[in-house]
């Protein structure tokens, strides 16, 4: 299409701009959706433990797999891996699944817990 052709027909020029806008809009949405990780996860904690809560609706509890190492947590088929801020006691990790929510409690390793040191007065 020559410049003058589009000038003569402003509707075709507007149609071309609309198509370009829609393509750009949907390409942005597609690129954002690729970066979204499944499942959505919240993590919080204190000096004693970390709690991980993941939304996993529709997944059968039998198919959920959680592996806890001293400083990593691996969650099941969808492969979410977390580097933990401190070492945990993998033998005391607890997980429960209720109404599409997986909650994992990760107790801090006794060796890693801050220790209170009593100061004696001389």
């Amino acid at each position: 299409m020559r410049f003058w052709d589009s000038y003569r027909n402003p509707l075709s020029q507007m149609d071309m701009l609309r198509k370009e806008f829609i393509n750009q809009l949907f390409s942005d949405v597609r690129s954002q959706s690729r970066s979204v990780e499944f499942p959505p996860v919240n993590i919080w904690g204190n000096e004693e433990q970390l709690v991980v809560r993941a939304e996993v609706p529709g997944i059968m509890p039998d198919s959920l797999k959680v592996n806890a190492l001293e400083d990593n947590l691996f969650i099941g088929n969808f492969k979410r891996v977390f580097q933990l801020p401190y070492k945990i006691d993998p033998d005391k990790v607890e997980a429960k699944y209720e109404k599409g929510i997986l909650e994992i409690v990760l107790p801090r390793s006794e060796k890693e817990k801050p220790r209170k040191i009593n100061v004696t007065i001389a």
Side-chain angles (χ1 to χ4, degrees):
M1 176 186 303
R2 294 181 311 206
F3 174 76
W4 291 109
D5 292 339
S6 64
Y7 181 73
R8 285 185 216 146
N9 188 354
L11 291 178
S12 68
Q13 185 70 21
M14 288 178 60
D15 188 49
M16 191 168 65
L17 287 172
R18 182 186 60 81
K19 287 178 183 175
E20 185 177 325
F21 174 76
I22 288 173
N23 286 338
Q24 182 64 39
L25 177 69
F26 284 110
S27 71
D28 288 348
V29 170
R30 282 191 300 268
S31 66
Q32 288 174 2
S33 68
R34 283 187 222 121
S35 67
V36 173
E37 294 186 42
F38 179 80
V41 173
N42 286 321
I43 302 175
W44 67 93
N46 55 31
E47 292 180 358
E48 297 293 318
Q49 67 185 15
L50 292 170
V51 177
V52 177
R53 187 172 288 163
E55 298 176 24
V56 289
I59 294 182
M60 297 302 293
D62 298 353
S63 69
L64 287 171
K65 295 178 184 172
V66 176
N67 297 317
L69 303 175
E70 284 186 349
D71 56 357
N72 283 294
L73 174 67
F74 302 90
I75 302 179
N77 303 336
F78 31 79
K79 295 289 185 194
R80 291 292 306 260
V81 179
F82 301 95
Q83 180 72 41
L84 303 175
Y86 47 70
K87 293 189 185 289
I88 60 164
D89 186 344
D91 296 328
K92 294 182 181 177
V93 172
E94 296 176 6
K96 71 177 181 177
Y97 179 77
E98 184 178 348
K99 296 181 182 176
I101 304 292
L102 173 64
E103 184 174 284
I104 306 165
V105 178
L106 304 159
R108 191 170 188 172
S109 170
E110 290 297 324
K111 294 177 187 175
E112 292 287 316
K113 287 183 182 177
R115 292 184 178 85
K116 181 179 177 182
I117 299 172
N118 293 324
V119 177
T120 58
I121 300 173

Coordinates of all heavy atoms in Angstrom, one line a residue, residues 56-111:
V56 N -3.4 -25.0 45.2 CA -3.3 -26.1 44.2 C -4.7 -26.8 44.0 O -4.9 -28.0 44.2 CB -2.3 -27.2 44.6 CG1 -0.9 -26.6 44.5 CG2 -2.5 -27.6 46.0
P57 N -5.7 -26.0 43.6 CA -7.1 -26.6 43.4 C -7.1 -27.6 42.3 O -6.4 -27.5 41.3 CB -7.9 -25.4 43.0 CG -7.0 -24.4 42.4 CD -5.6 -24.6 43.2
G58 N -7.9 -28.6 42.6 CA -8.1 -29.7 41.5 C -7.0 -30.7 41.5 O -7.1 -31.7 40.7
I59 N -6.0 -30.6 42.3 CA -5.0 -31.7 42.4 C -5.3 -32.7 43.4 O -5.7 -32.3 44.6 CB -3.6 -31.0 42.6 CG1 -3.2 -30.2 41.5 CG2 -2.5 -32.1 42.9 CD1 -1.9 -29.5 41.6
M60 N -5.2 -33.9 43.1 CA -5.6 -35.0 44.0 C -4.5 -35.1 45.1 O -3.3 -35.0 44.7 CB -5.6 -36.3 43.3 CG -6.7 -36.4 42.2 SD -8.4 -36.1 42.9 CE -8.6 -37.5 43.9
P61 N -4.9 -35.1 46.3 CA -3.9 -35.2 47.4 C -2.9 -36.3 47.3 O -1.7 -36.1 47.6 CB -4.8 -35.4 48.7 CG -6.1 -34.9 48.3 CD -6.3 -35.1 46.8
D62 N -3.3 -37.4 46.7 CA -2.4 -38.5 46.5 C -1.2 -38.2 45.5 O -0.1 -38.8 45.6 CB -3.1 -39.8 46.0 CG -4.2 -40.3 46.9 OD1 -4.2 -39.8 48.0 OD2 -4.9 -41.2 46.5
S63 N -1.5 -37.3 44.6 CA -0.4 -36.9 43.7 C 0.5 -35.8 44.1 O 1.5 -35.5 43.4 CB -1.1 -36.5 42.3 OG -1.8 -35.3 42.5
L64 N 0.2 -35.2 45.3 CA 1.1 -34.2 45.8 C 2.4 -34.8 46.3 O 2.4 -35.8 47.1 CB 0.4 -33.4 46.9 CG -0.7 -32.4 46.4 CD1 -1.4 -31.9 47.6 CD2 -0.1 -31.3 45.6
K65 N 3.5 -34.2 46.0 CA 4.8 -34.6 46.5 C 5.6 -33.4 47.0 O 5.7 -32.4 46.4 CB 5.6 -35.3 45.4 CG 5.0 -36.6 44.9 CD 5.9 -37.1 43.8 CE 5.2 -38.4 43.2 NZ 5.8 -38.8 42.0
V66 N 6.1 -33.5 48.3 CA 6.8 -32.5 48.9 C 8.1 -33.1 49.3 O 8.1 -34.1 50.1 CB 6.1 -31.8 50.0 CG1 7.0 -30.8 50.7 CG2 4.8 -31.2 49.6
N67 N 9.3 -32.5 48.9 CA 10.6 -33.0 49.4 C 11.2 -31.8 50.1 O 11.4 -30.7 49.5 CB 11.4 -33.4 48.2 CG 10.9 -34.6 47.5 OD1 10.4 -35.5 48.2 ND2 10.9 -34.6 46.2
A68 N 11.6 -32.0 51.3 CA 12.3 -31.0 52.1 C 13.7 -31.4 52.4 O 13.9 -32.5 53.0 CB 11.5 -30.7 53.4
L69 N 14.7 -30.6 52.0 CA 16.0 -30.8 52.4 C 16.4 -29.8 53.4 O 15.5 -28.9 53.8 CB 16.9 -30.7 51.2 CG 16.6 -31.7 50.0 CD1 17.5 -31.4 48.8 CD2 16.8 -33.1 50.5
E70 N 17.6 -29.7 53.9 CA 17.9 -28.8 55.0 C 17.7 -27.3 54.5 O 17.3 -26.5 55.3 CB 19.4 -29.0 55.4 CG 19.6 -30.2 56.3 CD 21.0 -30.3 56.8 OE1 21.9 -29.5 56.4 OE2 21.2 -31.1 57.7
D71 N 18.0 -27.0 53.3 CA 17.8 -25.6 52.8 C 17.1 -25.4 51.5 O 17.1 -24.4 50.9 CB 19.2 -24.9 52.8 CG 20.2 -25.7 51.8 OD1 19.8 -26.7 51.3 OD2 21.3 -25.2 51.6
N72 N 16.3 -26.5 51.1 CA 15.5 -26.4 49.9 C 14.2 -27.0 50.1 O 14.1 -28.0 50.9 CB 16.2 -27.0 48.7 CG 17.3 -26.2 48.1 OD1 17.1 -25.2 47.6 ND2 18.5 -26.7 48.2
L73 N 13.2 -26.6 49.4 CA 11.9 -27.2 49.4 C 11.4 -27.4 48.0 O 11.5 -26.5 47.2 CB 10.9 -26.3 50.1 CG 9.4 -26.7 50.1 CD1 9.2 -28.0 50.9 CD2 8.5 -25.6 50.6
F74 N 11.1 -28.6 47.6 CA 10.6 -29.0 46.3 C 9.1 -29.4 46.4 O 8.8 -30.2 47.2 CB 11.4 -30.1 45.7 CG 12.8 -29.9 45.6 CD1 13.7 -30.3 46.7 CD2 13.4 -29.4 44.5 CE1 15.0 -30.0 46.7 CE2 14.8 -29.1 44.5 CZ 15.6 -29.5 45.5
I75 N 8.3 -28.7 45.6 CA 6.9 -29.1 45.7 C 6.5 -29.7 44.3 O 6.5 -29.1 43.3 CB 6.0 -27.9 45.9 CG1 6.3 -27.2 47.2 CG2 4.5 -28.3 45.9 CD1 5.5 -26.0 47.6
G76 N 6.1 -30.9 44.4 CA 5.5 -31.8 43.4 C 5.6 -31.6 41.9 O 6.6 -31.2 41.4
N77 N 4.5 -32.0 41.2 CA 4.5 -32.1 39.8 C 4.7 -30.8 39.1 O 5.2 -30.8 37.9 CB 3.1 -32.7 39.4 CG 2.8 -34.0 40.0 OD1 3.7 -34.7 40.4 ND2 1.6 -34.3 40.2
F78 N 4.5 -29.7 39.7 CA 4.6 -28.4 39.0 C 6.0 -27.8 39.3 O 6.3 -26.7 38.8 CB 3.5 -27.5 39.4 CG 3.1 -27.7 40.8 CD1 3.8 -27.3 41.9 CD2 1.9 -28.4 41.1 CE1 3.3 -27.5 43.2 CE2 1.5 -28.7 42.3 CZ 2.2 -28.2 43.4
K79 N 6.8 -28.5 40.1 CA 8.2 -28.1 40.3 C 8.4 -26.6 40.7 O 8.9 -25.8 40.0 CB 9.0 -28.3 39.0 CG 9.1 -29.7 38.6 CD 10.0 -30.5 39.5 CE 10.2 -31.9 39.0 NZ 10.8 -32.8 39.9
R80 N 8.0 -26.3 41.9 CA 8.4 -25.1 42.6 C 9.5 -25.4 43.5 O 9.4 -26.3 44.3 CB 7.2 -24.5 43.3 CG 6.1 -24.0 42.5 CD 6.4 -22.7 41.7 NE 6.9 -21.6 42.3 CZ 6.3 -20.6 42.7 NH1 5.0 -20.5 42.5 NH2 6.9 -19.6 43.3
V81 N 10.6 -24.7 43.4 CA 11.8 -24.9 44.3 C 12.1 -23.6 45.0 O 12.1 -22.6 44.4 CB 13.0 -25.4 43.4 CG1 14.2 -25.6 44.3 CG2 12.7 -26.6 42.6
F82 N 12.3 -23.7 46.3 CA 12.5 -22.5 47.1 C 13.9 -22.7 47.8 O 14.1 -23.7 48.4 CB 11.4 -22.3 48.1 CG 10.1 -22.2 47.5 CD1 9.2 -23.2 47.4 CD2 9.7 -20.9 47.0 CE1 8.0 -23.1 46.8 CE2 8.4 -20.8 46.5 CZ 7.6 -21.9 46.3
Q83 N 14.7 -21.6 47.8 CA 15.9 -21.6 48.6 C 15.4 -21.0 49.9 O 14.9 -19.9 50.0 CB 16.9 -20.7 47.9 CG 18.2 -20.6 48.7 CD 19.0 -21.8 48.7 OE1 19.1 -22.5 47.7 NE2 19.5 -22.2 49.9
L84 N 15.6 -21.7 51.0 CA 15.1 -21.3 52.3 C 16.1 -20.4 53.0 O 17.3 -20.5 52.8 CB 14.7 -22.5 53.2 CG 13.7 -23.4 52.5 CD1 13.5 -24.7 53.4 CD2 12.4 -22.7 52.3
P85 N 15.6 -19.4 53.8 CA 16.6 -18.5 54.4 C 17.4 -19.1 55.6 O 18.4 -18.5 56.0 CB 15.6 -17.4 55.0 CG 14.3 -18.1 55.2 CD 14.2 -19.1 54.1
Y86 N 17.0 -20.2 56.0 CA 17.8 -20.9 57.0 C 17.6 -22.4 56.9 O 16.6 -22.9 56.3 CB 17.5 -20.4 58.5 CG 16.1 -20.3 58.8 CD1 15.3 -21.4 59.0 CD2 15.5 -19.0 59.0 CE1 13.9 -21.2 59.4 CE2 14.2 -18.9 59.3 CZ 13.4 -20.0 59.5 OH 12.1 -19.8 59.9
K87 N 18.4 -23.2 57.6 CA 18.3 -24.7 57.5 C 17.1 -25.1 58.4 O 16.8 -24.5 59.4 CB 19.5 -25.3 58.1 CG 20.7 -25.1 57.1 CD 21.9 -26.0 57.6 CE 23.1 -25.7 56.7 NZ 23.0 -26.1 55.4
I88 N 16.4 -26.1 57.9 CA 15.2 -26.6 58.6 C 15.5 -28.0 59.0 O 16.5 -28.6 58.6 CB 14.0 -26.6 57.6 CG1 14.2 -27.5 56.4 CG2 13.6 -25.2 57.3 CD1 12.9 -27.8 55.7
D89 N 14.6 -28.5 59.9 CA 14.7 -29.9 60.3 C 13.8 -30.7 59.4 O 12.6 -30.8 59.6 CB 14.3 -30.1 61.8 CG 14.5 -31.4 62.3 OD1 14.7 -32.4 61.5 OD2 14.5 -31.6 63.5
P90 N 14.3 -31.4 58.4 CA 13.4 -32.1 57.4 C 12.6 -33.2 58.0 O 11.6 -33.6 57.5 CB 14.4 -32.7 56.4 CG 15.8 -32.5 56.9 CD 15.7 -31.5 58.0
D91 N 13.1 -33.8 59.2 CA 12.3 -34.8 59.9 C 11.0 -34.3 60.5 O 10.2 -35.1 60.9 CB 13.2 -35.5 60.9 CG 14.4 -36.2 60.2 OD1 14.2 -36.7 59.1 OD2 15.4 -36.3 60.8
K92 N 10.9 -33.0 60.8 CA 9.8 -32.5 61.5 C 8.9 -31.7 60.6 O 7.9 -31.0 61.0 CB 10.3 -31.6 62.6 CG 11.0 -32.4 63.7 CD 11.4 -31.5 64.8 CE 12.1 -32.3 65.9 NZ 12.6 -31.4 67.0
V93 N 9.1 -31.7 59.3 CA 8.2 -31.0 58.3 C 6.8 -31.6 58.3 O 6.7 -32.8 58.3 CB 8.8 -31.0 56.9 CG1 7.9 -30.4 55.9 CG2 10.1 -30.2 56.9
E94 N 5.8 -30.8 58.3 CA 4.4 -31.2 58.3 C 3.7 -30.6 57.1 O 4.0 -29.4 56.8 CB 3.7 -30.8 59.6 CG 4.2 -31.5 60.8 CD 3.5 -31.0 62.1 OE1 2.5 -30.2 61.9 OE2 3.9 -31.4 63.1
A95 N 2.9 -31.4 56.4 CA 2.1 -30.8 55.3 C 0.7 -31.3 55.4 O 0.4 -32.4 55.8 CB 2.7 -31.3 54.0
K96 N -0.2 -30.4 55.1 CA -1.6 -30.7 55.0 C -2.3 -30.1 53.8 O -1.9 -29.0 53.4 CB -2.4 -30.4 56.3 CG -2.6 -28.9 56.5 CD -3.4 -28.7 57.8 CE -3.6 -27.2 58.0 NZ -4.4 -26.9 59.2
Y97 N -3.3 -30.8 53.3 CA -4.0 -30.3 52.1 C -5.5 -30.3 52.5 O -6.1 -31.2 52.9 CB -3.8 -31.3 51.0 CG -4.5 -31.0 49.7 CD1 -4.0 -30.0 48.9 CD2 -5.6 -31.7 49.3 CE1 -4.6 -29.7 47.7 CE2 -6.3 -31.4 48.1 CZ -5.8 -30.4 47.3 OH -6.4 -30.1 46.2
E98 N -6.1 -29.1 52.3 CA -7.5 -28.9 52.5 C -8.1 -27.9 51.6 O -7.6 -26.8 51.5 CB -7.7 -28.4 54.0 CG -9.1 -28.3 54.4 CD -9.3 -27.9 55.9 OE1 -8.3 -27.9 56.6 OE2 -10.4 -27.6 56.2
K99 N -9.2 -28.3 50.9 CA -9.9 -27.4 50.0 C -9.0 -26.7 49.0 O -9.2 -25.5 48.8 CB -10.7 -26.4 50.8 CG -11.8 -27.1 51.7 CD -12.6 -26.1 52.4 CE -13.6 -26.8 53.3 NZ -14.4 -25.9 54.2
G100 N -8.1 -27.4 48.4 CA -7.3 -26.8 47.4 C -6.1 -26.0 47.9 O -5.4 -25.5 47.1
I101 N -5.9 -26.0 49.2 CA -4.7 -25.3 49.8 C -3.7 -26.3 50.4 O -4.1 -27.1 51.2 CB -5.2 -24.3 50.8 CG1 -6.2 -23.3 50.3 CG2 -4.0 -23.6 51.4 CD1 -5.7 -22.4 49.3
L102 N -2.5 -26.2 49.9 CA -1.4 -27.1 50.5 C -0.7 -26.2 51.5 O -0.2 -25.1 51.1 CB -0.5 -27.6 49.5 CG 0.7 -28.3 49.9 CD1 0.4 -29.6 50.7 CD2 1.7 -28.6 48.8
E103 N -0.6 -26.6 52.8 CA 0.2 -25.8 53.8 C 1.3 -26.7 54.3 O 1.1 -27.8 54.7 CB -0.7 -25.4 54.9 CG 0.0 -24.5 55.9 CD -0.9 -23.9 57.0 OE1 -1.7 -23.0 56.7 OE2 -0.9 -24.4 58.1
I104 N 2.5 -26.2 54.2 CA 3.7 -26.9 54.7 C 4.3 -26.1 55.8 O 4.6 -24.9 55.6 CB 4.7 -27.1 53.5 CG1 4.0 -27.7 52.3 CG2 5.9 -27.9 54.0 CD1 4.7 -27.6 51.0
V105 N 4.6 -26.7 56.9 CA 5.2 -26.1 58.1 C 6.6 -26.6 58.1 O 6.8 -27.8 58.2 CB 4.5 -26.3 59.4 CG1 5.2 -25.7 60.6 CG2 3.0 -25.8 59.3
L106 N 7.6 -25.7 58.1 CA 9.0 -26.1 58.1 C 9.7 -25.6 59.3 O 10.1 -24.4 59.4 CB 9.7 -25.5 56.8 CG 9.0 -25.8 55.5 CD1 9.4 -24.8 54.4 CD2 9.5 -27.2 55.1
P107 N 9.9 -26.5 60.3 CA 10.5 -26.0 61.6 C 12.0 -25.8 61.3 O 12.7 -26.5 60.6 CB 10.3 -27.2 62.5 CG 9.4 -28.2 61.9 CD 9.4 -27.8 60.4
R108 N 12.5 -24.7 62.0 CA 13.9 -24.4 61.9 C 14.7 -25.4 62.6 O 14.3 -25.9 63.7 CB 14.1 -23.0 62.5 CG 15.5 -22.4 62.2 CD 15.5 -21.0 62.6 NE 16.8 -20.4 62.1 CZ 17.0 -19.1 62.2 NH1 16.1 -18.3 62.7 NH2 18.2 -18.6 61.8
S109 N 15.9 -25.7 62.1 CA 16.8 -26.7 62.7 C 17.2 -26.1 64.1 O 17.5 -24.9 64.2 CB 18.0 -26.9 61.8 OG 19.0 -27.6 62.5
E110 N 17.3 -26.9 65.1 CA 17.7 -26.5 66.4 C 19.1 -25.8 66.4 O 19.4 -24.8 67.1 CB 17.7 -27.6 67.4 CG 16.3 -28.1 67.8 CD 15.5 -27.1 68.5 OE1 16.0 -26.3 69.3 OE2 14.3 -27.0 68.2
K111 N 20.0 -26.4 65.5 CA 21.3 -25.8 65.4 C 21.3 -24.4 64.8 O 22.2 -23.6 65.1 CB 22.2 -26.7 64.5 CG 22.4 -28.1 65.1 CD 23.2 -28.9 64.0 CE 23.4 -30.3 64.5 NZ 24.0 -31.2 63.5

